[in-house]
Amino acid sequence: MKFSVNRDLLLRPLQQTAGVVEHRQTQLPILSNVLFKVSAQELSIIGTDLEVELVARVEVMGEEVGEVTVPAKKLVDICRSIPEGATIAFNLNEQRLEIKSGHFRSILSTLPADDFPVIKPDPSEISTDLDSKDFGKLLGETAFAMGLQDIRHFLNGMSLELGGGLVRSVTTDGHRLALSDLPQPTLKDKPRQVIVPRKGIVEIQRLLQELEGTVSVTVGTNHLGVASSGYTLTTKLIDAKYPDYERVIPKDGDKVVVADKQALRDALNRTAILANEKFRGIRVTLENDSLQLSAHNPEQEEAEETITVDYKGGTLEVGFNVSYLQDVLAVLESDKVKLVLLDSGSSAIIRDAETEGATYVVMPMRL
């Protein structure tokens, strides 16, 4: 295997692929490597942690075709340290990879390509093209509410539904829920729901930040794929049934609050400083045209702030985890936020007051 490539063309795809690699892998050392596959004009770089696989394709000047696996982190560090615009020459000799650029030369150990575990995705059952920025926005509006190491493993991921004229993302950790839709008229069939694990969602989001234009999204029995001209990402799916989230979205809230998003966010940030560090509880008191936030902690410290809002529903007092409210406000885009409540024991619905795109549900807590 022998080829040359411009350092700037190689570095970003290599960094993207290496980001998938399990750097702390001990049982399978080869998972700390990336796989290089060289043809006459193209280098494929493949990284995996057995759950997610990313393939990047780079144009190269291939003199000898071949394939081998190379330590991912060391290779990234070497390429990053080489000057911008430089040409890097790679030459595999007796399972040792020589890297040369200018007066620099290094030798890296390798492992056989035949031992590298490549994911074999199942046949595509659903396929659609999505704008990369719109798809990234959809995931970003809901990803924060995924479970984290929850014993209910299906909550440690995102439900994606494709069909019925849209792509829908839903996440919940049992205490809050986030739902967002992306219209897709070509998906006319009955919705197909799959659960993508957290790692898969994180890597898809990271990849989409690098891309422009459209990406192809495919769903099989056990895998979901996202592909562009330069990358193909494949992630395994969680084999489980996602909860019936429609049941937890309140339908009968009659108390509607419209607030300035930044004013509410700033007030939450200030009041949260003195909230109980473990439970993060904050009390919300509504009266006509005002919303009061208050918090206290075991050290007998307390904070309180009142902001002006558009509200005519009478007095209501309810407690929430302040972090959940902060997370929602961090992803809403418009200047106004709408809260819909029923009583102190019911969940709150939070939406963008101007577009009403994504829907967020936050359960109350006793204080």
Side-chain angles (χ1 to χ4, degrees):
M1 187 184 81
K2 189 175 182 180
F3 68 95
S4 299
V5 62
N6 183 282
R7 176 261 193 196
D8 300 344
L9 294 179
L10 175 64
L11 184 57
R12 286 305 299 157
L14 178 59
Q15 288 175 319
Q16 283 289 137
T17 310
V20 175
V21 169
E22 177 56 73
H23 297 295
R24 295 172 294 181
Q25 184 61 234
T26 55
Q27 294 181 331
L28 287 175
I30 200 166
L31 291 182
S32 296
N33 287 15
V34 290
L35 173 63
F36 271 17
K37 300 179 72 171
V38 179
S39 64
Q41 295 180 318
E42 186 178 87
L43 164 67
S44 293
I45 311 169
I46 305 173
T48 185
D49 66 350
L50 298 181
E51 185 176 88
V52 180
E53 176 187 274
L54 180 61
V55 181
R57 293 172 288 275
V58 183
E59 290 186 11
V60 300
M61 295 175 58
E63 299 177 39
E64 295 179 12
V65 301
E67 56 185 35
V68 73
T69 77
V70 194
K73 185 178 186 306
K74 292 177 183 177
L75 184 59
V76 168
D77 289 344
I78 288 171
C79 293
R80 188 188 290 123
S81 69
I82 290 173
E84 294 181 9
T87 297
I88 308 176
F90 295 83
N91 183 23
L92 180 65
N93 185 16
E94 296 182 353
Q95 296 305 306
R96 290 166 66 80
L97 186 65
E98 180 185 55
I99 304 171
K100 296 177 68 175
S101 182
H103 298 292
F104 171 77
R105 175 179 177 270
S106 66
I107 301 289
L108 281 179
S109 63
T110 67
L111 290 172
D114 291 343
D115 297 335
F116 193 81
V118 177
I119 293 178
K120 294 181 173 62
D122 34 39
S124 171
E125 299 176 356
I126 298 175
S127 180
T128 188
D129 292 336
L130 301 175
D131 179 84
S132 59
K133 300 307 178 189
D134 290 343
F135 190 31
K137 180 175 181 289
L138 176 78
L139 302 184
E141 287 176 333
T142 57
F144 67 88
M146 285 187 288
L148 181 63
Q149 297 179 335
D150 197 294
I151 190 172
R152 299 160 294 181
H153 65 287
F154 48 83
L155 297 186
N156 301 320
M158 176 183 291
S159 165
L160 283 179
E161 296 178 28
L162 296 90
L166 54 82
V167 179
R168 169 172 289 181
S169 64
V170 182
T171 58
T172 180
D173 59 6
H175 303 285
R176 54 181 171 172
L177 179 143
L179 180 153
S180 185
D181 291 338
L182 174 62
Q184 187 65 6
T186 59
L187 292 172
K188 298 178 181 179
D189 295 337
K190 181 180 177 180
R192 162 80 186 279
Q193 184 184 66
V194 297
I195 306 175
V196 184
R198 169 183 286 273
K199 176 68 181 290
I201 294 298
V202 169
E203 293 302 332
I204 292 171
Q205 288 182 289
R206 201 165 65 89
L207 176 61
L208 292 175
Q209 291 175 357
E210 294 289 316
L211 303 180
E212 300 287 343
T214 61
V215 294
S216 174
V217 179
T218 57
V219 177
T221 305
N222 302 308
H223 297 89
L224 179 138
V226 178
S228 68
S229 59
Y231 295 93
T232 300
L233 185 148
T234 305
T235 174
K236 291 184 177 180
L237 300 174
I238 296 176
D239 184 13
K241 182 175 176 58
Y242 206 70
D244 182 5
Y245 58 85
E246 294 279 4
R247 288 178 22 184
V248 304
I249 300 177
K251 305 292 194 298
D252 49 2
D254 59 356
K255 296 177 174 58
V256 180
V257 183
V258 177
D260 181 89
K261 184 190 72 174
Q262 195 57 49
L264 178 58
R265 192 177 182 186
D266 291 344
L268 283 170
N269 292 343
R270 285 188 289 267
T271 311
I273 295 170
L274 297 184
N276 186 303
E277 292 184 5
K278 182 178 180 181
F279 299 107
R280 303 292 291 160
I282 193 166
R283 190 182 308 277
V284 177
T285 303
L286 291 171
E287 295 182 350
N288 287 346
D289 293 331
S290 76
L291 182 151
Q292 183 189 79
L293 303 171
S294 57
H296 63 274
N297 59 39
E299 289 76 37
Q300 305 301 313
E301 298 167 327
E302 57 185 52
E304 181 181 292
E305 182 165 352
T306 300
I307 63 171
T308 300
V309 297
D310 183 358
Y311 172 67
K312 304 294 183 185
T315 302
L316 175 66
E317 194 173 274
V318 58
F320 292 108
N321 182 313
V322 66
S323 297
Y324 296 166
L325 300 179
Q326 291 171 313
D327 288 343
V328 172
L329 295 184
V331 298
L332 291 177
E333 292 187 343
S334 75
D335 294 333
K336 298 289 185 180
V337 57
K338 180 164 75 173
L339 292 82
V340 181
L341 306 102
L342 177 62
D343 53 41
S344 60
S346 302
S347 298
I349 292 180
I350 306 174
R351 291 191 175 107
D352 189 317
E354 297 172 1
T355 65
E356 295 202 0
T359 297
Y360 303 97
V361 179
V362 178
M363 291 179 62
M365 64 184 298
R366 291 185 178 181
L367 296 177

